[in-house]
Amino acid sequence: MLSCSLVRRSVLVSVVVALVAGVWVSAARPPKATGRAKFDSAVGRLAADASNVRVIVRAEGGRREAVAAKLRGKGHALLAEHASIDSVSVELPAAALEELASDPSVKRVSIDAEVKSFADEVGTLDTNMLLPTLGLPHEGFTGREVGVAVLDTGIVSHSEIPVAAFYDLRKGTKPTKPADPFGHGTHVAGMIMDKQGHSTARYRSVAKGVRLIGLRVLDDSGSGYTSTVISAIEFAIANKATLGIDVLNLSLGHPIYEPAATDPLVQAVERAVAAGIVVVVAAGNEGMNRQTGEVGYAGITSPGNAPSAITVGAVDTKNTITRLDDQVATFSSRGPTWYDGYAKPDLVAPGRRVVSFMAKKSALYNQYPAYRVDVATRTYMTLSGTSMSAAVTSGVVALMIEASRSTNSQNVALPPNAIKAILQFTAVPIAGADEITQGAGSLNAAGAVALARSIDPTRPQGSWWLASGVSPFTQLPNGESAPWSQQVFWGERVLTGDTVYVNHPAWTTAVVWGNAVVWGNAVVWGNAVVWGNAVVWGNAVVWGNSIVGYNADGTLIYGDAVDWSTVDPDAVVWGNVADQVALLPARSTNFFTPVF
């Protein structure tokens, strides 16, 4: 039933490494962190150079309220409590960080990092090729009765994109009138759901029947704090049934400062997936060195490193309905993820020069008039970025959920892990792109919906749940036959064969994506091998004695030639940099600036 195979071109390399290593070695449980070892990389630097800092403090099990009480007792400004991840957000003097870390009730101290929306380079678009290249519309599904929550800059109040519920989590949990002074969230929401659904409409959304829930977490300039996003995720979990939330769209992120296992935003995402919510995340727009134009790896941002999230990179469709000229956009963040070496993104989707609704009073609409697209009395705008790719994917997920519910009288939908697996299994690989650039391949909406409709999620675990036959290719409107990848990238393995045709235990919400399949301490992916501390990944990056990271101005570093005077030590991923860090200047975390 469930079969697993490695990418074959790497087997010889893995065997050689195995012979050198001799045996598989399981990592021992690390000792409990004390003092500064509890800091993530950003907090470690800020402790020395900031007056006041915002941090997320994770407590030892069952000690969150005690930690919160201590912080209040010392007069520190408690910003929020995050029960789902045993954490509190607080603003306090940097001088108090050492004492905080020495408290045995404190497990971890992470930066309350600034998060940004992910829109990037823009351009003109002559016509909308989005739906034909995805094979949509498909079988009459519109995402009806599926709730998609957009965590972003808000959604404008407009009849074009009606909002079922709206909350500004920066100010509390009471419902408010929809608003979006910046415009990014509206553009994202408009791709998911827009009432312009008739077949003659030039610009149409992916799932016109969904219920949009707006959760505002970013300000008028497209920025916000990690703690606010976590609060919004917790709000969505708590109100999943009340508001009918099935999908979260997070077209935002921040640089990765620590492993996924301790990253507060990642942990919040994992809690949402465990609660049965599909979480779609933008991979980030850090795939290219903006100074040199060189494309490189390791640019995935948090929470794109969340194992159970559906992390989406961007495809440039070249404004055609054929897939033969598609390429992964240069700005799209490649994997693997920092610290953990996870294979991300999970897949890629159209994200360059995508047209969507935009409010005339928004900042983006007024700051970039060259990218306006006006049709009759309706106002649209073209934006590019993995934000757009995530939105397109969220719309397709809504179609899949509706299709899945239609297969059974109980109205039960496929669980998030199965949704993710189907998206990868039906994705169409892009020629010339490796696995950590495109994941399983390019989003195939028609294939994903067709397969979701063919599976009965109510069948017992361990049984064959494919209720009707499917062909592993999709016929596109232009006559092309798009073959499915028929692969699922699960942690350190590639699952192939009849993987998704069985109700495997891996698809349950109790499983964190990637933790169900273990293959020693080795990871083999494409032409890449990760073993212990020696890492080689493709031709662009060598980790070990070299580094990948950000310069102080936010540009990525690639290759071996490094000007250490410009390196941001908090952004170094892997490498022998301990003897260099002391030579580097202090820095601020406020360097992550998107380019529109």
Side-chain angles (χ1 to χ4, degrees):
M1 294 291 184
L2 181 68
S3 60
C4 303
S5 67
L6 298 173
V7 179
R8 287 172 173 77
R9 52 191 171 157
S10 296
V11 171
L12 179 59
V13 178
S14 68
V15 171
V16 172
V17 175
L19 288 174
V20 173
V23 295
W24 304 115
V25 179
S26 297
R29 178 175 294 181
K32 185 175 291 186
T34 58
R36 293 180 66 89
K38 296 178 181 179
F39 295 159
D40 72 8
S41 59
V43 173
R45 293 294 296 176
L46 288 174
D49 65 19
S51 52
N52 259 36
V53 296
R54 290 177 60 125
V55 294
I56 300 171
V57 182
R58 189 167 188 177
E60 292 288 352
R63 302 292 295 162
R64 176 179 55 84
E65 293 182 358
V67 169
K70 288 181 183 179
L71 291 168
R72 290 193 189 95
K74 292 182 179 297
H76 301 319
L78 209 63
L79 303 171
E81 294 196 42
H82 312 293
S84 72
I85 57 172
D86 295 319
S87 301
V88 296
S89 300
V90 63
E91 184 172 2
L92 76 178
L97 287 171
E98 297 281 3
E99 180 184 2
L100 177 64
S102 67
D103 187 337
S105 298
V106 172
K107 186 173 185 178
R108 185 77 176 174
V109 183
S110 305
I111 189 68
D112 187 5
E114 184 179 24
V115 291
K116 295 278 189 176
S117 53
F118 287 139
D120 204 276
E121 57 178 56
V122 289
T124 57
L125 188 68
D126 294 330
T127 186
N128 186 8
M129 301 297 182
L130 177 62
L131 298 190
T133 194
L134 291 174
L136 294 175
H138 189 70
E139 300 188 33
F141 294 113
T142 64
R144 185 175 59 89
E145 297 184 0
V146 178
V148 181
V150 177
L151 282 66
D152 215 292
T153 59
I155 304 174
V156 72
S157 178
H158 196 283
S159 59
E160 187 83 354
I161 47 174
V163 180
F166 189 86
Y167 300 82
D168 189 339
L169 273 298
R170 302 170 309 141
K171 300 177 180 179
T173 57
K174 292 184 178 180
T176 60
K177 182 180 178 180
D180 181 14
F182 188 58
H184 184 272
T186 298
H187 194 274
V188 166
M191 276 179 283
I192 299 169
M193 186 273 181
D194 185 322
K195 288 183 70 175
Q196 272 285 83
H198 57 83
S199 59
T200 59
R202 188 177 184 185
Y203 304 114
R204 287 176 286 161
S205 62
V206 176
K208 67 175 183 177
V210 305
R211 296 174 57 260
L212 282 176
I213 298 102
L215 301 181
R216 187 178 181 187
V217 295
L218 304 178
D219 63 18
D220 295 6
S221 65
S223 300
Y225 287 102
T226 297
S227 57
T228 308
V229 180
I230 293 172
S231 294
I233 294 172
E234 291 189 315
F235 176 84
I237 295 171
N239 293 276
K240 178 181 182 295
T242 304
L243 296 176
I245 297 176
D246 302 294
V247 185
L248 297 185
N249 186 95
L250 278 71
S251 292
L252 48 76
H254 67 69
I256 297 173
Y257 296 114
E258 58 188 314
T262 58
D263 185 321
L265 188 51
V266 168
Q267 292 307 302
V269 166
E270 293 297 325
R271 299 298 189 279
V273 176
I277 300 174
V278 181
V279 182
V280 182
V281 180
N285 295 351
E286 299 303 318
M288 179 182 67
N289 185 321
R290 299 187 188 281
Q291 293 180 339
T292 67
E294 184 181 7
V295 172
Y297 296 88
I300 300 292
T301 53
S302 175
N305 57 328
S308 301
I310 298 170
T311 305
V312 189
V315 172
D316 181 358
T317 65
K318 306 295 185 181
N319 195 27
T320 66
I321 60 173
T322 178
R323 284 180 175 254
L324 299 179
D325 59 357
D326 287 3
Q327 294 180 342
V328 177
T330 53
F331 59 77
S332 182
S333 288
R334 275 78 168 159
T337 65
W338 293 1
Y339 296 100
D340 303 293
Y342 292 157
K344 291 278 188 171
D346 297 301
L347 73 161
V348 290
R352 186 159 189 266
R353 301 187 304 178
V354 180
V355 177
S356 181
F357 180 79
M358 181 65 73
K360 287 185 177 180
K361 294 183 179 180
S362 67
L364 285 179
Y365 189 79
N366 287 286
Q367 290 172 11
Y368 302 96
Y371 309 122
R372 298 173 182 172
V373 181
D374 297 321
V375 181
T377 60
R378 294 178 172 84
T379 302
Y380 294 85
M381 189 173 183
T382 302
L383 290 178
S384 296
T386 56
S387 282
M388 288 65 246
S389 307
V392 171
T393 304
S394 289
V396 172
V397 168
L399 301 180
M400 294 171 67
I401 291 173
E402 182 191 6
S404 177
R405 288 173 177 168
S406 72
T407 66
N408 60 92
S409 59
Q410 297 99 308
N411 204 37
V412 173
L414 287 161
N417 281 348
I419 292 286
K420 179 176 176 178
I422 290 171
L423 285 170
Q424 291 191 331
F425 193 83
T426 58
V428 179
I430 297 174
D434 59 46
E435 291 86 353
I436 52 173
T437 294
Q438 65 171 324
S442 183
L443 176 67
N444 174 13
V449 174
L451 184 51
R453 189 183 190 184
S454 300
I455 292 173
D456 182 356
T458 64
R459 293 191 176 180
Q461 192 174 103
S463 68
W464 187 269
W465 64 355
L466 186 65
S468 59
V470 292
S471 298
F473 64 88
T474 297
Q475 198 76 24
L476 298 176
N478 68 348
E480 288 177 12
S481 179
W484 299 356
S485 76
Q486 299 185 72
Q487 292 185 329
V488 178
F489 294 175
W490 183 283
E492 298 156 350
R493 300 297 298 266
V494 181
L495 312 183
T496 60
D498 54 21
T499 304
V500 300
Y501 301 154
V502 176
N503 187 1
H504 193 272
W507 309 142
T508 67
T509 55
V511 174
V512 174
W513 190 270
N515 286 354
V517 181
V518 180
W519 186 59
N521 292 325
V523 182
V524 179
W525 217 277
N527 289 326
V529 178
V530 181
W531 188 283
N533 294 322
V535 184
V536 179
W537 215 297
N539 296 323
V541 181
V542 179
W543 292 326
N545 292 326
S546 304
I547 70 162
V548 174
Y550 281 102
N551 283 318
D553 62 0
T555 58
L556 280 171
I557 303 165
Y558 303 115
D560 299 328
V562 177
D563 179 357
W564 286 101
S565 65
T566 65
V567 173
D568 178 348
D570 293 341
V572 173
V573 189
W574 280 292
N576 296 338
V577 298
D579 58 340
Q580 303 290 340
V581 171
L583 305 176
L584 303 179
R587 60 172 287 272
S588 164
T589 58
N590 187 19
F591 68 84
F592 193 62
T593 305
V595 178
F596 293 96

